[in-house]
Structure formats: structure tokens, C-alpha cells
Amino acid sequence: MDNDIIKIIIDIFHYLFFTGSFLAVLSYVVLSIISAVETIEYVKKNSFVNYNHILSSPISPSITIIAPAYNESLNVVENVRSLLSNHYPNYNVIIVNDGSSDDSLEKLIEAYDLEHVEYVVNEKIKTQPFREGVFKSKNPAFEKLIVVDKENGGKADALNMGLNISESKYVACIDVDCLLLEDALQKMIKPFMEATDHKVIAAGGVIRIANSCVIKGGKLIEVNLPKNLIVQAQILEYLRAFLLGRMAWSRLNGLLVISGAFGIFEKETAIKVGGYDTATVGEDMEIIVRMRRYMEEQNKKYKVAYIPDPLCWTEAPDNYKTLISQRNRWTRGTIETLRKHRKIAFNKNYGKFGLLSYPYWLFFERLAPVVEVTGIIYFGILIAFNLVHWQYAVLFIALAYLFSVLFSIVALYSEELTYNQYKKKGAGYKLILLCFIEPIILHPIVLYAAIRGNIDYYFNKKKKWGAMERKGMTAAETS
Amino acid sequence: MNLYEYLIDAFNQAPVLIQIGFLIVLALIICIITLIISLRAIRSYLNIKGKEIIKNKKEFEALVVEYLYSGTGFDELSEKQLAIITRIKDAIISTSKRKSVITILSNLMNEVSGEMSDSIKTLYHKIGLITYATQRLESKKWHIVAKAIVELRRFKVYETQDKVATFLNHPRKEIRKEAQLYSVHLFKFNGLSFLDDLETPLSEWHQLLLLEALLNLENQKICDITPWLKSSNTSVVLFALKLVKIYTQFETKETLIELLSHPEKEVRVYTLKVLKELFGYEAEESLIENTSTSDLRIDAEMSLLNLVKN
């Protein structure tokens, strides 16, 4: 009798794992197909658009770039220069120095000839107070720049300060170390202006990895494939996530996250929902979920748009320690957001948002690492008790591996046919080779970080952001 | 027994689930190999195509520049220009070369004006690009039609106006928009007549493009904007309000006052802004007195506050 029960439990486990894996693969296949349709549509639509018209228009909407900076002394001057070189006609830049303990503020004051100005802030969102206050440049060449020095309150708090200060209709929230291409704002603002029967509340862009790229004077000169394998693997991972995953979710209007590195928001809605949540480490995902939730509850037609053009380039972690710290944080952010908004889950009142997007994130982002590790432990137990049917096990592993390789190659395919950024000789072979080794060199680390994130979330509540070691893109490219 | 027979034998004896799994593995391997081969082929193709585009660009740029500077100074074309026309005409049978020539001419059109611009338009006609573009208007693919209209607009081709006019209310947004832009670029304010009975909304982006087209035109006669201010299409009203503001149409004051009772808040608020811009402080005061709805009162007060602040 006991043996029968164990056998039933084992069978249930088998069917659960099999169903889970099947659904995961099926969802990837479906997302790849939707993404292909959306990509073709996007490329066709934009093949004859002239973005230069907006540059001289008297009715181009105003945009504020908000870039929080914390101890970014190494590159802050260069990074701000890059942000100031955007072609868009009606924008300004707010750098929020979030209580940096280094000399970021002094460097900015010196480089941009800043002077302290009296500034009354309409505190629509509660934030940490000013430290040194607000600075503007005496030099008319930098009239678009505002530097705010405040007490440390974290990235979300700094972004909220930017939201309070901005007088624009739209805000572009960006990591200060990101390189924004000159035409980024023109392209990102288009979906907001094109909408007629609905409101676009936010738009996200593709984040590309800038390690080893040549950057001069805040401009991207040459795209190179880095030599570091961890960074290479992340390039592939990003291509898969942005060109396949997000593109498809954009078509379904089901995007739950816009990368914190670069996204544009309709300021009114962002403020109405209370701005960024300072209590989470996943503030970029949380604000989107909250904005969507608000719009659903108000019964308003809306969209979260997505632009696949490579407009924002950033430095990716080049060592396992930093990578684990980053992914650990992403995992905690996902758990926090999904828990906070669990009311949405499977709730038909939230439409597609509650019945499709949220469950997908719950099962395939939130729970997937847990299921995977449970599977590995279970497999270990079976080996220990010599209960493994090796024929099935080998076949299952081979299928999982080959599907993973296939999706990476499909992502590469999409990249080649659309933006084709890695044109240099030899890069193609390297990227194909990467498709085969990425599941071995990156996936286990990401899985480990996700599990650590789960453990930290439940057992180490004090853990916050974790340090991101910056080497600086300009330094990286010359080495 | 050789390896092949051994494998077949093992496959036949395996359980059905293993057989299915094995077939999927095989299918995946074939898919991966096929994709890798085609990926390599695409990379090579793009590489070759890229080089060809550069080569074509160099060749045709030189020819176009030579054409532009070989004029006689009179209306008729020189021998050299005629020879260049024949050469380009023969070359553009190839689609890639045609695309290169269109790109070069389009870029040049953006950079030059006056006689030079007219010469480019003449070249566009003489080498037969107009025929290719007109043919593309018949395509069943929306993006090809839209691109053809863009091209005809860029080279100010008036001959196709009747055909393009049929697209002004096209169900496909992109075609409709390009046809409307063509109309405005070529016929200035008269080209805006499609607004009279427009039922579809004009997006802010499209309004911006239409305004840009109008602002780039010189010596234009502004038509009566009032009918559009009374349109049942809210986006047309908003666009007309922008025209009133940019072209300082003081004579529309009465209609603007009427618009303060428009059912759409966006229209009411924008009307206030326009009134403030055109009639200043005096208008603001009387507006607050005459404004009944609370939302508008707040907007009016805010607007007044901004005016005082400025």
C-alpha cells in the first residue's frame, strides 16, 4: 500500500513537471510567433517614417529626462553630456544626486558651471528632503540641465523627486550611466502621440549591452561583441528577452515591466498612482503594474507601448558576483510586485492583465526557478535511490537543451533581419556558438541568483539593492 | 549488425513516449541546423547587399551631381544630361539600383531648394521613377502603397493627385495619413479640405506632421478655419485650434468662445489656452466670469495664474 502511494506521488510529480515544461515551451513558441508578426508590422510601419519633422515642430510635447545618480562620480560628467546631446527639441534633464557620498555633485558643479537656485517644489509625491538643493547652469549651453541634490532615499525616491520637479507632460526615467542615442526621444514619444482611441501610459525601449562598444563624446561609434563570456551570454539573453518576449507582450498589450534603465511615462498618470514605490527593489516593474491596475480600475482604455529599436545602451555585469547581485534583486522585485498586486491574479475584472499577463509572470518568471530547482532536487533523489529511467531523463534533458538553443537562434535570426548590430566579421559565428553554451554558462548562475533572491526575500528582509560595480563604458571600450 | 540497424532496432523496441521524444529531438536538430545555415546565408547576403548599396550610392551620386551641374541654363536638357538620364533609366530596372537612386534623390531634395530642386524633380520624371511609383499605388500591400505616396509627395508629383485622393479616407491608417500629407504638401491649405468630412481621428503625431507641412510652405493663403472649429470630429477641432494659435486667427474669437461649451474637456482647455495666447489677460478675466463648469473654471484660473506668473 505504501509503495502504491509513493508510486502515485512520483507519477503526479512526473506529470506536473511534464505539463509545466510543455506549457513553458508552448508559451515560448506562441510568443515567438506573435513577436515575428509584431516585428514585421513594426518594421513596415517605420520604413517610411521621417522622425525629423518633430525636431522643428512648435507642438512637440515636452519631455523631462530624470536620471538618479548615486556615487557615479567616475562617469557622471560624461554621462550627463551624453544626455544633453539628444536631438529632441523640447526636453530638459534632471539629474537627482541621491545623497552620494562621493564628489559627484562637485564634479557636476565644476563641469557644467552650476549655481544654486531657489526652487519651490510642489511635493505631489513624498520624498526625502533636499540636501544642497537645486542647481542650474550659468552657461546657456547647458540651460536644459537641472541638478538636484537630496538626502539619500534610493532610486525610487530620487525618481519621485524628479517627477515632482518636472514640468513636462512626459518623463523619461533613465539610469544615468545609460547611453541614450540621439534620436531616442523622438522614437519613444511617437506611440504616445499616435494613440487616438486609447491612452499610452508608458513606453519602454530595448536595452542593449554596451560593454566593449566604442563610445566617444557620449555617442555610440562602434558596436563590438565583448570578449568576456558572461557579457556575451547576457547579450544573447537580452536579445531573446527584448526581441522575442517583450515584442510579443507588446502586441498583446500585456507588458508588465519596462526596464528601469530607460522608459517614458505619461507624468499625470504616474503621479496619480503615487509615483515609484520606495519600499520595493523592483520599482520599475511595480510602477507599471500599478499604473495598469489604476487604468483597469478606472475602466480607461490604455496601452503600455514598446519600441524595439536599439536606443539605449548600458553596461552589463562582467563578473559572476555582480551578476548574481543584480539578478537576486530582479527576483525580489518580481516577488514583491506580484505579491503586492496579487488581487489582480486570475481576476476577470482586470481582463487580459489579470487572466494572461499576471498568471504568465507568476508561473514562468516568479515560480519557474523554484520549479526548476525542485525538479533538480527530485532528480537527485531519484538518482540516489536508483529510480531514474535514464532513457526518459536523457531525452527530457536533450529536449530542454535543444529548445533553449532553438529559441536563442530564433532571437539571433530576428536580430539579423531587423537591427543587425553585430556586423563585424566573426561575430556571427561567436553568437551561434553562444547559443549552445549560454544554457551552460549563464543559466545555472541566473537560476542560483533567483533562488538566492527567494531566500533573501523570505529570510533576509533587510537586504536592499546590493552594489553594482561600475567600470564605466568609456573605460571599458578602450581596454 | 551495423550502427544504423542497431539504432533502428533500439528505436522500434523503445516505448511510444521515447519514440515521440526522439522524433522531436531529431526535428529540433534539423530546425537548428537549417536555421544556422540560413542565418549564415542571410549574414552573407546582407554583407554583399550592404557593399552593393555603397557601390550603387557612389556611382549614382556621382551621376546625379554631374547631371545637376551639366545644365544649359535654359529649359532644355544638355547632351550630357540626356546621356545620364538614359544611363540611369537603364540601370533602375534593377530594384536595388532603383532604391539607391530614390534614396539619393530624396536626400538631395531635403538639402536643396529652388532651381536645384526643380532639376531633381525633372530628373525623377525623366528617368521614369514616376511610372514605378504610380504602379506601386496599385499594390495590395499597404506599406508599398504608403511608401509610394511618400515618394510622390517628396518629389511633388501632381500627376497622381486623383489617384492619391482616393486614399484620403482609406481604412488603413498609414495609407490614409500619407495621402493626407501628400494633399497638404502639394496643395497647401487647399489640401486640408479632407478635414471637412473626416470621420477618423487625427492623432497628435499626424497633426504635428500636417502642421510641419504647412509651416514649411511659403507665401500661402490661409483659408477660413471656422468650419473645422465647428467639426463634429474632436481631433479636427483640436487641429483647427492649433492652426488658430499658430496663424493668430483673431477673427475666430466668436467661434472660440462657443467652443468653451464643447462637450470635450480637452477642447475646452485648449480653447482657453488659445484665447489666452491671442487675447491675453483681458480675455482671461472675462472668461473666468463667464465660465460655469467647475473643471473649466479651475483651468481658467490656472491659466490666468500662469499668465500673471509669466
Side-chain angles (χ1 to χ4, degrees), chain B residues 102-197:
Chain B
I102 293 169
T103 309
I104 292 164
L105 295 182
S106 296
N107 292 342
L108 275 172
M109 278 295 277
N110 290 336
E111 289 165 15
V112 299
S113 58
E115 277 182 27
M116 207 62 114
S117 164
D118 292 339
S119 292
I120 295 167
K121 277 184 245 170
T122 310
L123 180 63
Y124 179 82
H125 278 76
K126 296 277 180 194
I127 58 179
L129 281 174
I130 183 174
T131 317
Y132 289 108
T134 313
Q135 281 168 1
R136 283 183 359 245
L137 289 179
E138 304 294 336
S139 173
K140 284 183 178 159
K141 293 178 179 168
W142 64 266
H143 66 284
I144 291 180
V145 177
K147 267 187 186 176
I149 303 173
V150 171
E151 192 182 312
L152 293 166
R153 165 181 30 113
R154 213 163 272 167
F155 294 102
K156 297 214 183 307
V157 179
Y158 287 88
E159 292 90 323
T160 50
Q161 56 174 291
D162 292 337
K163 179 69 194 163
V164 175
T166 63
F167 297 124
L168 282 169
N169 284 306
H170 197 276
R172 183 84 205 187
K173 187 171 69 179
E174 288 77 11
I175 294 181
R176 189 168 71 231
K177 276 162 60 181
E178 292 310 331
Q180 292 167 357
L181 281 170
Y182 168 94
S183 180
V184 174
H185 271 271
L186 269 64
F187 304 104
K188 306 175 187 175
F189 265 88
N190 290 336
L192 281 174
S193 57
F194 67 87
L195 293 175
D196 297 346
D197 47 8

Side-chain angles (χ1 to χ4, degrees), chain A residues 17-18 21 25 372 375-380 382-383 388-406 435-436 439-440 443, chain B residues 17-18 21-22 24-26 28-29 32:
Chain A
F17 284 129
F18 180 76
S21 309
V25 169
E372 196 173 339
I376 291 167
I377 294 167
Y378 172 68
F379 188 55
L382 290 184
I383 292 173
V388 179
H389 296 288
W390 283 105
Q391 266 184 323
Y392 287 97
V394 170
L395 196 68
F396 188 79
I397 292 166
L399 278 170
Y401 176 74
L402 288 171
F403 267 117
S404 162
V405 173
L406 182 69
C435 295
F436 289 91
I440 300 154
H443 184 70
Chain B
L17 210 58
I18 294 285
F22 182 77
I24 297 173
V25 165
L26 212 62
L28 285 175
I29 291 171
I32 289 170

Side-chain angles (χ1 to χ4, degrees), chain A residues 195-208:
Chain A
T196 51
D197 59 343
H198 62 274
K199 188 178 194 177
V200 173
I201 54 169
V206 165
I207 308 299
R208 293 282 185 143

Side-chain angles (χ1 to χ4, degrees), chain A residues 31 209 352 420:
Chain A
L31 288 177
I209 291 175
K352 255 191 305 191
N420 193 18

Side-chain angles (χ1 to χ4, degrees), chain B residues 59-285:
Chain B
E59 184 191 338
F60 292 116
E61 250 173 10
L63 278 174
V64 170
V65 170
E66 201 180 340
Y67 169 89
L68 293 174
Y69 289 100
S70 314
T72 55
F74 304 103
D75 279 349
E76 66 268 26
L77 298 168
S78 68
E79 294 267 318
K80 205 166 194 179
Q81 282 179 315
L82 288 169
I84 291 169
I85 287 169
T86 312
R87 205 170 144 192
I88 299 178
K89 208 172 178 175
D90 291 343
I92 60 169
I93 295 167
S94 140
T95 314
S96 67
K97 287 183 179 174
R98 190 160 64 240
K99 280 182 183 168
S100 292
V101 174
I102 293 169
T103 309
I104 292 164
L105 295 182
S106 296
N107 292 342
L108 275 172
M109 278 295 277
N110 290 336
E111 289 165 15
V112 299
S113 58
E115 277 182 27
M116 207 62 114
S117 164
D118 292 339
S119 292
I120 295 167
K121 277 184 245 170
T122 310
L123 180 63
Y124 179 82
H125 278 76
K126 296 277 180 194
I127 58 179
L129 281 174
I130 183 174
T131 317
Y132 289 108
T134 313
Q135 281 168 1
R136 283 183 359 245
L137 289 179
E138 304 294 336
S139 173
K140 284 183 178 159
K141 293 178 179 168
W142 64 266
H143 66 284
I144 291 180
V145 177
K147 267 187 186 176
I149 303 173
V150 171
E151 192 182 312
L152 293 166
R153 165 181 30 113
R154 213 163 272 167
F155 294 102
K156 297 214 183 307
V157 179
Y158 287 88
E159 292 90 323
T160 50
Q161 56 174 291
D162 292 337
K163 179 69 194 163
V164 175
T166 63
F167 297 124
L168 282 169
N169 284 306
H170 197 276
R172 183 84 205 187
K173 187 171 69 179
E174 288 77 11
I175 294 181
R176 189 168 71 231
K177 276 162 60 181
E178 292 310 331
Q180 292 167 357
L181 281 170
Y182 168 94
S183 180
V184 174
H185 271 271
L186 269 64
F187 304 104
K188 306 175 187 175
F189 265 88
N190 290 336
L192 281 174
S193 57
F194 67 87
L195 293 175
D196 297 346
D197 47 8
L198 187 73
E199 285 174 8
T200 49
L202 288 173
S203 69
E204 264 192 86
W205 181 265
H206 192 47
Q207 290 181 37
L208 181 145
L209 297 181
L210 291 171
L211 279 175
E212 272 303 287
L214 291 169
L215 291 169
N216 285 332
L217 300 167
E218 289 165 9
N219 305 323
Q220 51 187 321
K221 198 181 163 210
I222 299 157
C223 60
D224 181 17
I225 291 165
T226 319
W228 301 328
L229 287 171
K230 292 176 178 174
S231 170
S232 56
N233 184 333
T234 305
S235 64
V236 171
V237 179
L238 287 167
F239 179 66
L241 282 168
K242 282 167 193 156
L243 290 175
V244 170
K245 188 178 158 193
I246 291 170
Y247 292 98
T248 52
Q249 298 291 289
F250 294 105
E251 58 273 28
T252 58
K253 188 175 178 182
E254 292 307 312
T255 320
L256 291 180
I257 301 283
E258 283 170 29
L259 279 178
L260 290 171
S261 321
H262 196 277
E264 289 291 327
K265 186 188 170 189
E266 200 183 351
V267 173
R268 298 197 299 269
V269 171
Y270 203 84
T271 306
L272 258 181
K273 281 184 190 165
V274 176
L275 282 165
K276 185 194 101 179
E277 185 97 3
L278 296 190
F279 304 102
Y281 188 73
E282 180 194 347
E284 295 272 349
E285 277 186 322

